Amino acid sequence: MDTLTRMLNTHPKASSMDAALLATCLQACLDCEAVCSLCADACLNESEHLHHLTRCITLNTQCAAVCQATAKVLASPGQGGAQVLQAQLEACLSACQACAAECEGHAQEMNMAHCAVCAESCRRCEQACQVLLKSVRA
Protein backbone atom coordinates (compact mmCIF):
# COMPACT_ATOMS: atom_id res chain seq x y z
CA MET A 1 0.00 0.00 0.00
CA ASP A 2 1.45 3.36 -0.98
CA THR A 3 1.85 6.32 1.36
CA LEU A 4 -1.07 8.31 -0.05
CA THR A 5 -3.45 5.37 0.36
CA ARG A 6 -2.19 4.76 3.90
CA MET A 7 -2.69 8.44 4.74
CA LEU A 8 -6.20 8.49 3.30
CA ASN A 9 -7.05 5.35 5.28
CA THR A 10 -5.96 7.04 8.52
CA HIS A 11 -8.06 10.18 7.92
CA PRO A 12 -10.54 10.66 10.80
CA LYS A 13 -13.29 11.71 8.37
CA ALA A 14 -12.88 8.85 5.95
CA SER A 15 -14.31 9.66 2.57
CA SER A 16 -16.95 7.46 1.01
CA MET A 17 -14.63 7.21 -1.99
CA ASP A 18 -12.30 4.28 -2.42
CA ALA A 19 -8.97 5.32 -0.89
CA ALA A 20 -6.94 3.52 -3.55
CA LEU A 21 -8.81 5.26 -6.39
CA LEU A 22 -8.44 8.61 -4.66
CA ALA A 23 -4.72 8.03 -4.06
CA THR A 24 -4.16 6.95 -7.67
CA CYS A 25 -5.86 10.08 -8.98
CA LEU A 26 -4.04 12.33 -6.51
CA GLN A 27 -0.67 10.86 -7.53
CA ALA A 28 -1.53 11.16 -11.23
CA CYS A 29 -2.38 14.84 -10.73
CA LEU A 30 0.86 15.51 -8.86
CA ASP A 31 2.90 13.70 -11.53
CA CYS A 32 1.10 15.48 -14.36
CA GLU A 33 1.65 18.86 -12.75
CA ALA A 34 5.40 18.28 -12.60
CA VAL A 35 5.65 16.73 -16.07
CA CYS A 36 3.66 19.56 -17.68
CA SER A 37 5.88 22.14 -15.99
CA LEU A 38 8.96 20.31 -17.23
CA CYS A 39 7.53 20.06 -20.74
CA ALA A 40 6.81 23.80 -20.83
CA ASP A 41 10.40 24.45 -19.81
CA ALA A 42 11.69 22.02 -22.43
CA CYS A 43 9.55 23.72 -25.08
CA LEU A 44 10.96 27.10 -24.06
CA ASN A 45 14.42 25.70 -24.72
CA GLU A 46 13.57 24.43 -28.20
CA SER A 47 15.08 27.50 -29.85
CA GLU A 48 14.69 26.10 -33.36
CA HIS A 49 10.93 25.44 -32.92
CA LEU A 50 9.92 27.91 -30.22
CA HIS A 51 7.54 29.87 -32.44
CA HIS A 52 5.58 26.65 -33.11
CA LEU A 53 5.32 25.79 -29.41
CA THR A 54 3.55 28.79 -27.89
CA ARG A 55 0.20 26.98 -27.68
CA CYS A 56 1.91 23.92 -26.20
CA ILE A 57 3.65 26.01 -23.55
CA THR A 58 0.36 27.70 -22.64
CA LEU A 59 -1.51 24.39 -22.42
CA ASN A 60 1.34 22.86 -20.37
CA THR A 61 1.17 25.76 -17.94
CA GLN A 62 -2.62 25.66 -17.70
CA CYS A 63 -2.69 21.89 -17.27
CA ALA A 64 -0.06 22.07 -14.53
CA ALA A 65 -2.13 24.68 -12.68
CA VAL A 66 -5.35 22.68 -12.99
CA CYS A 67 -3.63 19.48 -11.87
CA GLN A 68 -2.19 21.30 -8.86
CA ALA A 69 -5.63 22.64 -7.92
CA THR A 70 -7.16 19.21 -8.40
CA ALA A 71 -4.53 17.61 -6.17
CA LYS A 72 -5.35 20.15 -3.45
CA VAL A 73 -9.07 19.38 -3.70
CA LEU A 74 -8.40 15.64 -3.62
CA ALA A 75 -6.10 16.03 -0.61
CA SER A 76 -8.92 17.46 1.51
CA PRO A 77 -11.67 14.84 1.36
CA GLY A 78 -12.88 15.27 4.93
CA GLN A 79 -15.40 18.08 4.55
CA GLY A 80 -15.57 18.46 0.79
CA GLY A 81 -18.67 18.43 -1.33
CA ALA A 82 -19.28 16.08 -4.23
CA GLN A 83 -20.24 18.96 -6.56
CA VAL A 84 -16.91 20.73 -6.08
CA LEU A 85 -15.01 17.49 -6.53
CA GLN A 86 -16.92 16.63 -9.71
CA ALA A 87 -16.36 20.09 -11.18
CA GLN A 88 -12.65 19.97 -10.40
CA LEU A 89 -12.24 16.48 -11.85
CA GLU A 90 -14.07 17.58 -15.01
CA ALA A 91 -11.78 20.62 -15.31
CA CYS A 92 -8.74 18.40 -14.88
CA LEU A 93 -10.05 15.99 -17.53
CA SER A 94 -10.48 18.85 -19.99
CA ALA A 95 -7.06 20.35 -19.32
CA CYS A 96 -5.34 16.97 -19.63
CA GLN A 97 -7.18 16.13 -22.86
CA ALA A 98 -6.21 19.45 -24.47
CA CYS A 99 -2.59 19.26 -23.34
CA ALA A 100 -2.22 15.62 -24.37
CA ALA A 101 -3.64 16.27 -27.84
CA GLU A 102 -1.27 19.21 -28.38
CA CYS A 103 1.76 17.30 -27.11
CA GLU A 104 0.91 14.20 -29.13
CA GLY A 105 0.97 16.34 -32.26
CA HIS A 106 4.42 17.73 -31.46
CA ALA A 107 5.72 14.30 -30.54
CA GLN A 108 4.65 12.91 -33.91
CA GLU A 109 5.28 15.88 -36.21
CA MET A 110 8.48 17.25 -34.67
CA ASN A 111 9.75 14.12 -32.90
CA MET A 112 9.82 15.86 -29.51
CA ALA A 113 10.41 13.22 -26.87
CA HIS A 114 9.49 15.54 -23.99
CA CYS A 115 6.07 16.12 -25.57
CA ALA A 116 5.57 12.35 -25.89
CA VAL A 117 6.30 11.90 -22.18
CA CYS A 118 3.98 14.78 -21.31
CA ALA A 119 1.15 13.38 -23.43
CA GLU A 120 1.48 10.01 -21.67
CA SER A 121 1.32 11.68 -18.26
CA CYS A 122 -1.71 13.73 -19.27
CA ARG A 123 -3.49 10.62 -20.56
CA ARG A 124 -2.76 8.76 -17.29
CA CYS A 125 -4.15 11.68 -15.30
CA GLU A 126 -7.16 11.93 -17.59
CA GLN A 127 -7.88 8.23 -17.08
CA ALA A 128 -7.46 8.45 -13.29
CA CYS A 129 -9.84 11.42 -13.17
CA GLN A 130 -12.41 9.54 -15.27
CA VAL A 131 -12.29 6.53 -12.96
CA LEU A 132 -12.63 8.63 -9.83
CA LEU A 133 -15.36 10.77 -11.38
CA LYS A 134 -17.40 7.63 -12.15
CA SER A 135 -17.07 6.49 -8.53
CA VAL A 136 -18.13 9.91 -7.20
CA ARG A 137 -21.22 9.97 -9.44
CA ALA A 138 -22.20 6.41 -8.51
Side-chain angles (χ1 to χ4, degrees), residues 112-126:
M112 293 190 171
H114 57 85
C115 282
V117 172
C118 187
E120 291 169 11
S121 181
C122 287
R123 293 296 184 200
R124 272 192 305 276
C125 189
E126 174 189 353

PDB file of all heavy atoms in Angstrom, residues 112-126:
ATOM      1  N   MET A 112       9.423  15.296 -30.808  1.00  0.00           N
ATOM      2  CA  MET A 112       9.816  15.863 -29.514  1.00  0.00           C
ATOM      3  C   MET A 112       9.507  14.858 -28.411  1.00  0.00           C
ATOM      4  O   MET A 112       8.353  14.638 -28.050  1.00  0.00           O
ATOM      5  CB  MET A 112       9.103  17.187 -29.273  1.00  0.00           C
ATOM      6  CG  MET A 112       9.549  18.244 -30.230  1.00  0.00           C
ATOM      7  SD  MET A 112       8.929  19.847 -29.761  1.00  0.00           S
ATOM      8  CE  MET A 112       9.854  20.848 -30.897  1.00  0.00           C
ATOM      9  N   ALA A 113      10.556  14.261 -27.884  1.00  0.00           N
ATOM     10  CA  ALA A 113      10.408  13.219 -26.870  1.00  0.00           C
ATOM     11  C   ALA A 113       9.757  13.759 -25.600  1.00  0.00           C
ATOM     12  O   ALA A 113       8.949  13.063 -24.971  1.00  0.00           O
ATOM     13  CB  ALA A 113      11.759  12.596 -26.548  1.00  0.00           C
ATOM     14  N   HIS A 114      10.084  14.994 -25.216  1.00  0.00           N
ATOM     15  CA  HIS A 114       9.486  15.540 -23.995  1.00  0.00           C
ATOM     16  C   HIS A 114       7.983  15.702 -24.144  1.00  0.00           C
ATOM     17  O   HIS A 114       7.233  15.505 -23.184  1.00  0.00           O
ATOM     18  CB  HIS A 114      10.161  16.859 -23.569  1.00  0.00           C
ATOM     19  CG  HIS A 114      10.162  17.934 -24.590  1.00  0.00           C
ATOM     20  ND1 HIS A 114       9.111  18.793 -24.768  1.00  0.00           N
ATOM     21  CD2 HIS A 114      11.114  18.306 -25.478  1.00  0.00           C
ATOM     22  CE1 HIS A 114       9.397  19.661 -25.731  1.00  0.00           C
ATOM     23  NE2 HIS A 114      10.622  19.378 -26.180  1.00  0.00           N
ATOM     24  N   CYS A 115       7.519  16.022 -25.354  1.00  0.00           N
ATOM     25  CA  CYS A 115       6.075  16.121 -25.573  1.00  0.00           C
ATOM     26  C   CYS A 115       5.414  14.746 -25.522  1.00  0.00           C
ATOM     27  O   CYS A 115       4.284  14.621 -25.044  1.00  0.00           O
ATOM     28  CB  CYS A 115       5.779  16.828 -26.893  1.00  0.00           C
ATOM     29  SG  CYS A 115       5.966  18.630 -26.817  1.00  0.00           S
ATOM     30  N   ALA A 116       6.115  13.712 -25.972  1.00  0.00           N
ATOM     31  CA  ALA A 116       5.568  12.350 -25.892  1.00  0.00           C
ATOM     32  C   ALA A 116       5.394  11.937 -24.436  1.00  0.00           C
ATOM     33  O   ALA A 116       4.353  11.373 -24.057  1.00  0.00           O
ATOM     34  CB  ALA A 116       6.487  11.371 -26.622  1.00  0.00           C
ATOM     35  N   VAL A 117       6.380  12.228 -23.611  1.00  0.00           N
ATOM     36  CA  VAL A 117       6.301  11.897 -22.185  1.00  0.00           C
ATOM     37  C   VAL A 117       5.163  12.673 -21.531  1.00  0.00           C
ATOM     38  O   VAL A 117       4.387  12.131 -20.737  1.00  0.00           O
ATOM     39  CB  VAL A 117       7.645  12.181 -21.483  1.00  0.00           C
ATOM     40  CG1 VAL A 117       7.520  12.025 -19.968  1.00  0.00           C
ATOM     41  CG2 VAL A 117       8.738  11.272 -22.028  1.00  0.00           C
ATOM     42  N   CYS A 118       5.036  13.943 -21.881  1.00  0.00           N
ATOM     43  CA  CYS A 118       3.982  14.781 -21.309  1.00  0.00           C
ATOM     44  C   CYS A 118       2.600  14.261 -21.705  1.00  0.00           C
ATOM     45  O   CYS A 118       1.705  14.168 -20.868  1.00  0.00           O
ATOM     46  CB  CYS A 118       4.164  16.233 -21.753  1.00  0.00           C
ATOM     47  SG  CYS A 118       3.028  17.374 -20.935  1.00  0.00           S
ATOM     48  N   ALA A 119       2.438  13.907 -22.968  1.00  0.00           N
ATOM     49  CA  ALA A 119       1.153  13.380 -23.428  1.00  0.00           C
ATOM     50  C   ALA A 119       0.772  12.113 -22.656  1.00  0.00           C
ATOM     51  O   ALA A 119      -0.390  11.945 -22.258  1.00  0.00           O
ATOM     52  CB  ALA A 119       1.207  13.098 -24.931  1.00  0.00           C
ATOM     53  N   GLU A 120       1.741  11.238 -22.433  1.00  0.00           N
ATOM     54  CA  GLU A 120       1.482  10.012 -21.668  1.00  0.00           C
ATOM     55  C   GLU A 120       1.029  10.333 -20.251  1.00  0.00           C
ATOM     56  O   GLU A 120       0.089   9.726 -19.732  1.00  0.00           O
ATOM     57  CB  GLU A 120       2.737   9.142 -21.621  1.00  0.00           C
ATOM     58  CG  GLU A 120       3.125   8.526 -22.939  1.00  0.00           C
ATOM     59  CD  GLU A 120       4.510   7.890 -22.912  1.00  0.00           C
ATOM     60  OE1 GLU A 120       5.102   7.736 -21.813  1.00  0.00           O
ATOM     61  OE2 GLU A 120       5.018   7.550 -23.994  1.00  0.00           O
ATOM     62  N   SER A 121       1.688  11.289 -19.622  1.00  0.00           N
ATOM     63  CA  SER A 121       1.325  11.676 -18.257  1.00  0.00           C
ATOM     64  C   SER A 121      -0.079  12.280 -18.225  1.00  0.00           C
ATOM     65  O   SER A 121      -0.876  11.974 -17.327  1.00  0.00           O
ATOM     66  CB  SER A 121       2.352  12.667 -17.702  1.00  0.00           C
ATOM     67  OG  SER A 121       2.022  13.025 -16.381  1.00  0.00           O
ATOM     68  N   CYS A 122      -0.381  13.121 -19.199  1.00  0.00           N
ATOM     69  CA  CYS A 122      -1.715  13.727 -19.270  1.00  0.00           C
ATOM     70  C   CYS A 122      -2.791  12.665 -19.478  1.00  0.00           C
ATOM     71  O   CYS A 122      -3.858  12.736 -18.863  1.00  0.00           O
ATOM     72  CB  CYS A 122      -1.770  14.751 -20.399  1.00  0.00           C
ATOM     73  SG  CYS A 122      -0.876  16.281 -20.070  1.00  0.00           S
ATOM     74  N   ARG A 123      -2.512  11.696 -20.322  1.00  0.00           N
ATOM     75  CA  ARG A 123      -3.493  10.624 -20.561  1.00  0.00           C
ATOM     76  C   ARG A 123      -3.692   9.768 -19.307  1.00  0.00           C
ATOM     77  O   ARG A 123      -4.817   9.351 -19.010  1.00  0.00           O
ATOM     78  CB  ARG A 123      -3.085   9.755 -21.752  1.00  0.00           C
ATOM     79  CG  ARG A 123      -3.110  10.467 -23.096  1.00  0.00           C
ATOM     80  CD  ARG A 123      -4.499  10.902 -23.498  1.00  0.00           C
ATOM     81  NE  ARG A 123      -4.470  11.501 -24.836  1.00  0.00           N
ATOM     82  CZ  ARG A 123      -5.402  12.292 -25.300  1.00  0.00           C
ATOM     83  NH1 ARG A 123      -6.448  12.617 -24.557  1.00  0.00           N
ATOM     84  NH2 ARG A 123      -5.314  12.792 -26.510  1.00  0.00           N
ATOM     85  N   ARG A 124      -2.619   9.511 -18.557  1.00  0.00           N
ATOM     86  CA  ARG A 124      -2.763   8.761 -17.288  1.00  0.00           C
ATOM     87  C   ARG A 124      -3.621   9.547 -16.299  1.00  0.00           C
ATOM     88  O   ARG A 124      -4.484   8.983 -15.624  1.00  0.00           O
ATOM     89  CB  ARG A 124      -1.400   8.474 -16.669  1.00  0.00           C
ATOM     90  CG  ARG A 124      -0.743   7.202 -17.126  1.00  0.00           C
ATOM     91  CD  ARG A 124       0.463   6.819 -16.282  1.00  0.00           C
ATOM     92  NE  ARG A 124       1.475   7.867 -16.197  1.00  0.00           N
ATOM     93  CZ  ARG A 124       2.431   8.071 -17.103  1.00  0.00           C
ATOM     94  NH1 ARG A 124       2.509   7.308 -18.171  1.00  0.00           N
ATOM     95  NH2 ARG A 124       3.311   9.030 -16.938  1.00  0.00           N
ATOM     96  N   CYS A 125      -3.374  10.839 -16.218  1.00  0.00           N
ATOM     97  CA  CYS A 125      -4.145  11.681 -15.297  1.00  0.00           C
ATOM     98  C   CYS A 125      -5.606  11.751 -15.739  1.00  0.00           C
ATOM     99  O   CYS A 125      -6.515  11.648 -14.919  1.00  0.00           O
ATOM    100  CB  CYS A 125      -3.521  13.075 -15.230  1.00  0.00           C
ATOM    101  SG  CYS A 125      -4.220  14.121 -13.930  1.00  0.00           S
ATOM    102  N   GLU A 126      -5.807  11.905 -17.031  1.00  0.00           N
ATOM    103  CA  GLU A 126      -7.164  11.929 -17.588  1.00  0.00           C
ATOM    104  C   GLU A 126      -7.913  10.653 -17.215  1.00  0.00           C
ATOM    105  O   GLU A 126      -9.048  10.697 -16.737  1.00  0.00           O
ATOM    106  CB  GLU A 126      -7.066  12.069 -19.108  1.00  0.00           C
ATOM    107  CG  GLU A 126      -8.370  11.960 -19.847  1.00  0.00           C
ATOM    108  CD  GLU A 126      -8.191  11.883 -21.353  1.00  0.00           C
ATOM    109  OE1 GLU A 126      -7.057  12.051 -21.868  1.00  0.00           O
ATOM    110  OE2 GLU A 126      -9.198  11.637 -22.033  1.00  0.00           O
TER     111      GLU A 126
END
